[in-house]
């Protein structure tokens, strides 16, 4: 073999990329797994927000068909708790705020009842067991009070 033939052979061996796909996969795979986990976590948080929205809607509807302030408050709280329980969302702490001023309008006029639900959910319930922290989710919904329904302000 001549010197140029040996040099060409060494250059050809140096240009081969054996194993480069494995190294690229070893670098990219953990990043893709982290991105997938992040997408799943975001989806679970959005789904939990939708469950809080549904609970606020149920509570506002329950309050709007009540005839008294006290009944509206208790019906809204009960409906919110029932809805969250039915959907499997467990709040570490929750509060239900009900604005029943729409029940005070005279018969024949349209009033509204507004319910705001705040629920603090542990991240371990949303994502994976052992994940620290919590997320506070809030939702508000307004329901119309029937204008011709009798009520006792």
């Amino acid at each position: 073999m001549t010197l140029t033939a040996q040099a060409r052979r060494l250059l050809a061996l140096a240009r081969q990329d054996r194993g480069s796909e494995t190294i690229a996969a070893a670098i990219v795979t953990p990043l893709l797994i982290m991105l997938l986990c992040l997408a799943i976590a975001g989806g679970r948080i959005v789904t939990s927000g939708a469950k809080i929205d549904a609970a606020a809607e149920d509570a506002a509807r329950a309050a709007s068909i009540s005839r008294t302030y006290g009944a509206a408050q208790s019906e809204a709280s009960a409906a919110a708790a029932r809805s969250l329980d039915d959907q499997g969302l467990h709040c570490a702490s929750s509060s239900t705020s009900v604005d029943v001023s729409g029940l005070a309008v005279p018969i024949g006029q349209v009033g509204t009842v507004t319910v705001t639900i705040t629920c603090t959910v542990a991240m371990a319930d949303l994502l994976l067991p052992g994940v620290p922290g919590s997320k506070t989710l809030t939702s508000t919904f307004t329901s119309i009070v029937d204008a011709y329904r009798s009520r006792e302000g």
Side-chain angles (χ1 to χ4, degrees):
M1 256 200 247
T2 65
L3 183 61
T4 56
Q6 286 179 345
R8 275 190 243 147
R9 188 169 167 240
L10 286 173
L11 285 172
L13 285 174
R15 284 189 218 135
Q16 290 181 353
D17 289 336
R18 288 187 185 169
S20 64
E21 292 86 10
T22 305
I23 293 171
I27 293 171
V28 172
T29 301
L31 296 174
L32 290 176
I33 291 171
M34 286 175 34
L35 183 63
L36 178 67
C37 290
L38 187 63
I40 291 171
R44 300 247 352 220
I45 289 172
V46 168
T47 302
S48 297
K51 290 177 182 181
I52 298 289
D53 291 343
E57 184 178 345
D58 292 345
R61 182 66 187 141
S64 71
I65 60 176
S66 298
R67 297 182 192 274
T68 64
Y69 294 134
Q73 295 275 354
S74 63
E75 285 294 323
S77 296
R82 211 174 24 254
S83 179
L84 291 174
D85 188 45
D86 289 347
Q87 296 181 52
L89 190 62
H90 305 289
C91 300
S93 66
S94 66
S95 66
T96 303
S97 171
V98 184
D99 175 16
V100 292
S101 60
L103 294 177
V105 299
I107 293 180
Q109 294 180 3
V110 176
T112 59
V113 174
T114 303
V115 175
T116 301
I117 297 177
T118 302
C119 175
T120 302
V121 183
M123 292 302 266
D125 288 346
L126 291 178
L127 306 176
L128 294 171
V131 176
S134 62
K135 177 83 175 155
T136 301
L137 305 168
T138 302
S139 181
T140 301
F141 192 82
T142 301
S143 184
I144 296 174
V145 177
D146 184 11
Y148 297 103
R149 184 178 179 127
S150 67
R151 45 191 170 252
E152 304 169 11

